[in-house]
Amino acid sequence: MYHATLPYLRKAVRGLVKWADKNRVESIALPKIGSGLGKLSWLDEVKPLLMEQLTPGPTRYVVYETFLNEFENNAPPRLK
């Protein structure tokens, strides 16, 4: 299985920014892309790259650093 690399991630993020600007997208939400199965370090590699590339502009970018399923602990019992 292939893992993420910073050059490819940088290229993808630049493409996303150009696409969003061209299409006048108001907001985009992202997960911690490249740092899970991609094996890149979130704090040392990915987050700094996103902070650099997702500069303030017409599109609002939201990166979800943590995931919390509000129903996880209060889920109803599963049917058998």
Side-chain angles (χ1 to χ4, degrees):
M1 183 161 135
Y2 297 101
H3 300 293
T5 64
L6 282 178
Y8 284 129
L9 183 58
R10 182 175 287 109
K11 183 177 180 179
V13 172
R14 283 183 186 160
L16 175 66
V17 170
K18 285 181 184 178
W19 177 85
D21 289 347
K22 178 182 174 186
N23 292 285
R24 298 180 180 159
V25 176
E26 290 182 20
S27 66
I28 295 177
L30 298 166
K32 293 185 342 183
I33 188 167
S35 63
L37 295 174
K39 305 288 186 193
L40 294 175
S41 168
W42 171 249
L43 290 176
D44 298 330
E45 298 173 299
V46 179
K47 187 173 182 178
L49 182 142
L50 294 179
M51 296 295 290
E52 170 193 321
Q53 298 294 320
L54 303 179
T55 57
T59 303
R60 178 176 170 242
Y61 295 93
V62 177
V63 179
Y64 288 92
E65 291 190 54
T66 57
F67 173 78
L68 174 63
N69 184 343
E70 64 184 272
F71 302 107
E72 211 167 71
N73 293 329
N74 299 325
R78 294 182 183 237
L79 299 175
K80 294 182 182 180

